[in-house]
Amino acid sequence: MDTNRRRTPIELLNEILANSEKMVPEYLLISYEGVLYPANFCSPENFKALQSFEARNDDIILAGYPKTGTNWLEQILKDLETTAGKYTEEEINSRNSIEKEVPMISRLEFRDEKQFQMMKKLPFRRINTTHILPQILPQSIFKNKAKILLLVRNPKDTAVSYFHFYNDMPLLQSFNTWDEYFTAFMNGKLTWGSYFDYLIEWNKYIADDHVMVITYEEMKENQTLGMKKIAEFLGFSLSDDEIQTIAEKSTFKAMKEKSPETHGLFGKIIFRKGIVGGWREFFTEAQNKEMDRKFEECLGGTKIGEKIKYGIYCKA
Ligand code: A3P
């Protein structure tokens, strides 16, 4: 490889992954305000820079706990936005060159000061994904009423997905057993903290008219309908054919096949199974009961709890 050439975002991602294999496990994570984050991507400086992000009214924020399908929804959002935007070729080229500096395969909390400065110049609707708690996000997101799409997935499939992610991802320290991991999940001892705390906090925002909740399960059941609801919420006007084209590009199979190009080496880790109900192979009876109790205690009777349809997707 020509080492003087500027590396593409994918090459950078691959490099981070390769280097992390050489890292001492104790240095893989940082703790910020009591929550763990991957040290290769997050730092106190990033969190400080994040506060300089001045949200616009037409910004789109995709918020979701890790492993709830954020990469999937991110692609759908980008395709909906670019298709509805009817951009000229010149606009698309200019956008592509900016995206080399501010890669869209990213999370708000990974961005540095320079990227936030560059983002100010983006002449189109900005889409940002984040896994962090709402109280850590820059408050301009709420003040300026950026549109927030909150993605949720049932806790049992989320837990199983995160288990594989932890064990397959060199940036994170593997767990020896599922049981050991399950305890960590239930106690929020994972990167980005507790699934339950995350949803308890976000539940405080979901009555706002600039927030929409969508579930992984409803997208799996009827992706076209889910996309239409999202497009309506964001004010995008698309024909049925356009929706269909985007849906075809974003099936699990299509995204997995394209992932070496879109996600580099991360693709193999992210696009694992893409199904609902895989948790049944992992949860013991006692773990099912523990999760049922915890869900009821943390999210029973809440709007988000209702959206998750626990009784349908999580009952043993
Ligand atoms: P599994 O590990 O259960 O397969 P995230 O993008 O937030 O990291 O979430 C990853 C999860 O979303 C993985 O779940 C992954 O397979 C699933 N996923 C990614 N793309 C998908 C798609 N197009 N359709 C359905 N599921 C998808």
Side-chain angles (χ1 to χ4, degrees), residues 40-67:
N40 271 284
F41 289 101
C42 294
S43 66
E45 291 75 37
N46 290 132
F47 282 104
K48 188 161 171 263
L50 176 62
Q51 295 310 321
S52 71
F53 174 64
E54 188 58 29
R56 298 179 195 154
N57 182 260
D58 69 350
D59 274 339
I60 300 165
I61 308 288
L62 172 63
Y65 186 78
K67 313 321 294 169

Side-chain angles (χ1 to χ4, degrees), residues 3 10 35 46 50 55 70 103 105 109 118 133 163 229 278 291 316:
T3 48
I10 296 298
V35 175
N46 290 132
L50 176 62
T70 45
I105 304 173
E109 54 273 26
M118 295 206 62
L133 290 161
F163 172 62
K229 286 189 202 164
M291 180 66 92

Side-chain angles (χ1 to χ4, degrees), residues 88-101:
T88 61
E89 209 179 307
E90 196 185 330
E91 283 167 330
I92 290 172
N93 288 340
S94 122
R95 181 188 185 116
N96 288 344
S97 71
I98 299 172
E99 282 191 12
K100 277 194 193 123
E101 305 292 333

Side-chain angles (χ1 to χ4, degrees), residues 67-72 153 161 216 250 252 270 272-274:
K67 313 321 294 169
T68 52
T70 45
N71 284 278
W72 180 23
R153 186 179 190 186
S161 181
Y216 180 91
S250 54
F252 177 76
I270 292 169
R272 190 184 63 92
K273 281 207 159 171

